[in-house]
Amino acid sequence: MNERFVEKMSDRQVIHDVKVLADFTQIWCDGHHADRTRRRVETDAALLDVYGRKTPTLCEECEAHLAYGEKRRAHCPKDPKPFCAHCDTHCYRIEERTWQQQMMRYSGPKSWRKGHAIDGIKHVLEARKWRREMERRSAQAAADTGKD
Ligand code: SF4
Ligand SMILES: [Zn+2]
């Protein structure tokens, strides 16, 4: 675990983001891997006690995804950070990105019942903002092409 990771894990926003990631991953693992051997995770953030009493209990595969996500969040160069799904310089490995998209699609709607209503609403608002920005960029690109 490097110094930057430890430092970032005391930032309120980073802590919030990794806790949401952990909760969403728990929902995914509960729904898909309840028959696997699962344990209280020992990711770097868990070892720093970021999750406290809510330390997730995951299978080995989901623990690895969570550990990967924790690192990406700690080393994210974006400030302010958009939702990863809307990031123009997505830093995830392609297979991790695919997994995260699948997991968010599954866990997002269920998170509303698990105390993440505010995060769910933020996702909807952010998605709208992102769609408008994409429309604005396409219109701008079309206008620029018309000038040539
Ligand atoms: S995908 Fe983008 S927003 Fe998400 S951690 Fe990577 S750089 Fe940051
Ligand atoms: Zn799992």
Side-chain angles (χ1 to χ4, degrees):
M1 197 183 318
N2 65 30
E3 250 175 65
R4 182 184 159 90
F5 185 92
V6 175
E7 188 193 316
K8 284 288 175 177
M9 286 300 145
S10 60
D11 178 301
R12 271 184 53 211
Q13 188 58 49
V14 174
I15 291 173
H16 170 81
D17 291 348
V18 294
K19 281 183 170 175
V20 171
L21 178 65
D23 286 347
F24 278 33
T25 306
Q26 183 73 70
I27 294 169
W28 170 268
C29 195
D30 288 346
H32 294 82
H33 307 141
D35 56 338
R36 293 186 183 175
T37 302
R38 302 195 295 166
R39 63 163 194 167
R40 237 172 107 86
V41 300
E42 293 179 2
T43 58
D44 287 348
L47 293 175
L48 291 170
D49 204 26
V50 166
Y51 305 120
R53 282 188 301 111
K54 286 191 77 188
T55 300
T57 300
L58 303 174
C59 72
E60 198 177 344
E61 181 191 322
C62 289
E63 180 171 353
H65 287 306
L66 176 60
Y68 182 86
E70 288 172 359
K71 286 198 178 66
R72 298 277 36 100
R73 180 59 190 93
H75 295 283
C76 176
K78 301 276 185 180
D79 187 18
K81 178 190 169 300
F83 286 114
C84 292
H86 309 152
C87 179
D88 55 1
T89 55
H90 213 291
C91 68
Y92 277 54
R93 282 200 303 264
I94 187 72
E95 65 276 17
E96 288 289 343
R97 181 178 179 174
T98 306
W99 178 83
Q100 196 191 54
Q101 284 169 345
Q102 247 184 341
M103 182 277 284
M104 296 298 273
R105 266 200 301 273
Y106 175 84
S107 301
K110 294 180 175 50
S111 71
W112 290 59
R113 293 197 300 268
K114 305 230 177 195
H116 286 289
I118 301 291
D119 291 303
I121 291 164
K122 277 190 191 162
H123 268 273
V124 171
L125 295 177
E126 174 86 5
R128 267 191 211 152
K129 204 167 100 187
W130 180 72
R131 260 200 315 275
R132 278 197 209 110
E133 175 60 17
M134 289 300 109
E135 282 162 13
R136 190 191 65 74
R137 285 188 204 179
S138 316
Q140 183 67 50
D144 290 348
T145 309
K147 280 184 206 155
D148 295 338

